[in-house]
Amino acid sequence: MLPPPNDNTFIILPAYNEKKEVLEQTLSSLINQLYHIVVVDDGSSGKIILPGNSRVYLLRHRVNLGQGAALQTGIRYALQKGASYIITFDSDGQHNPGDLPALLAPLQKEEVDITLGSRFIKKGSHNASAGRRILLKAGRVVNYIFTGLYLSDAHNGLRAMTRSAAEKIMITENRMAHATEILLLIKRSKLKFKEVPVTVLYTDYSKKKGQSVFNSIRIFFDLILHKLFQ
């Protein structure tokens, strides 16, 4: 009997105080595609209860450490389970599971080591407000300053990587500055990468869970401290 088509692919899903219905909907859309799913409960105040499924794993942080820490916990676990490909995916419903085959294809063809989702390149789509677009464009410049990589969408949480690339992505920035740190690690490790068009659709719920201007300023100073003390 042949294994399921996505049997070697693990999706990392950080979750912190997620609305039950949103998390369930996100999970069901991924389970239907037969991926392995690693949900990392990052110290939520309420208990996360997952559907009984042998392809869904639940890891828990006793306290809230941040999305970067949750991703690193999930990546480490997926590697221990023998993952060939690892995908990072937001749990707030803004990402489209239909984009995953396009993210995986360049890896499976051994063209690149990591693919980065972009809502801003051709065939990508989004419903970001004008204010959020300005913030994201500013983020591109900040990322370029710190990493030397000028991407079209530097703060998109949807990305896929090979096993060998994941072994080089050791995230130490526990909170949201991890997105820039990943790009820095890509450059330092000389990993081949490619941006792939994806869809990002914000809902009222995901907007509340997203980054505020205050948090963006905090990320900037986190990056400065990382640069000074690395």
Side-chain angles (χ1 to χ4, degrees), residues 129-203:
S129 66
R132 187 174 293 271
R133 290 198 299 271
I134 292 171
L135 198 62
L136 290 169
K137 286 182 179 179
R140 292 176 63 192
V141 176
V142 171
N143 274 285
Y144 176 69
I145 292 170
F146 283 96
T147 71
L149 301 181
Y150 193 58
L151 303 176
S152 66
D153 194 357
H155 280 92
N156 194 323
L158 186 53
R159 56 181 82 84
M161 62 194 84
T162 63
R163 179 182 182 84
S164 60
E167 290 171 339
K168 296 179 177 68
I169 302 294
M170 297 297 293
I171 302 169
T172 60
E173 289 288 348
N174 284 351
R175 300 196 178 274
M176 296 307 294
H178 74 273
T180 300
E181 185 184 19
I182 289 174
L183 300 181
L184 187 61
L185 292 169
I186 289 172
K187 185 174 183 180
R188 285 182 179 173
S189 302
K190 298 181 180 179
L191 298 175
K192 295 181 181 178
F193 68 92
K194 176 181 182 180
E195 289 190 282
V196 174
V198 300
T199 296
V200 176
L201 292 179
Y202 294 100
T203 62

Side-chain angles (χ1 to χ4, degrees), residues 4 20-21 46 86 92 115 134 195 200 204 211 216-217 230:
K20 181 175 180 290
E21 295 80 7
I86 295 175
D92 59 9
T115 52
I134 292 171
E195 289 190 282
V200 176
D204 290 339
Q211 289 300 308
S216 298
I217 294 171
Q230 63 184 347

Side-chain angles (χ1 to χ4, degrees), residues 1-229:
M1 179 181 294
L2 293 174
N6 299 313
D7 194 52
N8 59 354
T9 301
F10 282 66
I11 297 177
I12 314 303
L13 207 67
Y16 176 61
N17 289 340
E18 297 295 347
K19 190 174 181 180
K20 181 175 180 290
E21 295 80 7
V22 175
L23 183 57
E24 287 179 348
Q25 185 177 4
T26 301
L27 281 171
S28 65
S29 64
L30 296 170
I31 290 171
N32 290 340
Q33 297 192 43
L34 301 179
Y35 295 103
H36 290 280
I37 305 163
V38 182
V39 178
V40 183
D41 177 4
D42 189 30
S44 297
S45 56
K47 187 176 181 180
I48 291 179
I49 300 175
L50 300 181
N53 189 296
S54 62
R55 305 176 73 80
V56 180
Y57 315 88
L58 177 62
L59 309 178
R60 286 192 173 97
H61 289 166
R62 296 182 66 179
V63 297
N64 176 242
L65 297 176
Q67 192 177 79
L71 287 175
Q72 185 58 44
T73 295
I75 289 171
R76 187 185 306 116
Y77 182 81
L79 290 172
Q80 291 173 353
K81 297 291 286 186
S84 296
Y85 306 103
I86 295 175
I87 297 171
T88 64
F89 198 93
D90 287 354
S91 56
D92 59 9
Q94 68 178 6
H95 289 155
N96 180 5
D99 289 327
L100 301 188
L103 281 168
L104 287 168
L107 308 181
Q108 294 165 336
K109 295 175 183 177
E110 300 183 353
E111 296 173 353
V112 296
D113 304 301
I114 186 165
T115 52
L116 305 168
S118 173
R119 74 202 90 178
F120 296 121
I121 60 176
K122 187 177 180 180
K123 295 186 178 179
S125 63
H126 64 90
N127 64 341
S129 66
R132 187 174 293 271
R133 290 198 299 271
I134 292 171
L135 198 62
L136 290 169
K137 286 182 179 179
R140 292 176 63 192
V141 176
V142 171
N143 274 285
Y144 176 69
I145 292 170
F146 283 96
T147 71
L149 301 181
Y150 193 58
L151 303 176
S152 66
D153 194 357
H155 280 92
N156 194 323
L158 186 53
R159 56 181 82 84
M161 62 194 84
T162 63
R163 179 182 182 84
S164 60
E167 290 171 339
K168 296 179 177 68
I169 302 294
M170 297 297 293
I171 302 169
T172 60
E173 289 288 348
N174 284 351
R175 300 196 178 274
M176 296 307 294
H178 74 273
T180 300
E181 185 184 19
I182 289 174
L183 300 181
L184 187 61
L185 292 169
I186 289 172
K187 185 174 183 180
R188 285 182 179 173
S189 302
K190 298 181 180 179
L191 298 175
K192 295 181 181 178
F193 68 92
K194 176 181 182 180
E195 289 190 282
V196 174
V198 300
T199 296
V200 176
L201 292 179
Y202 294 100
T203 62
D204 290 339
Y205 173 77
S206 66
K207 288 175 184 176
K208 291 178 182 178
K209 295 282 290 186
Q211 289 300 308
S212 65
V213 174
F214 173 79
N215 281 338
S216 298
I217 294 171
R218 179 181 173 181
I219 290 170
F220 180 71
F221 282 104
D222 283 347
L223 291 172
I224 291 176
L225 291 174
H226 180 86
K227 193 77 172 178
L228 289 173
F229 296 104

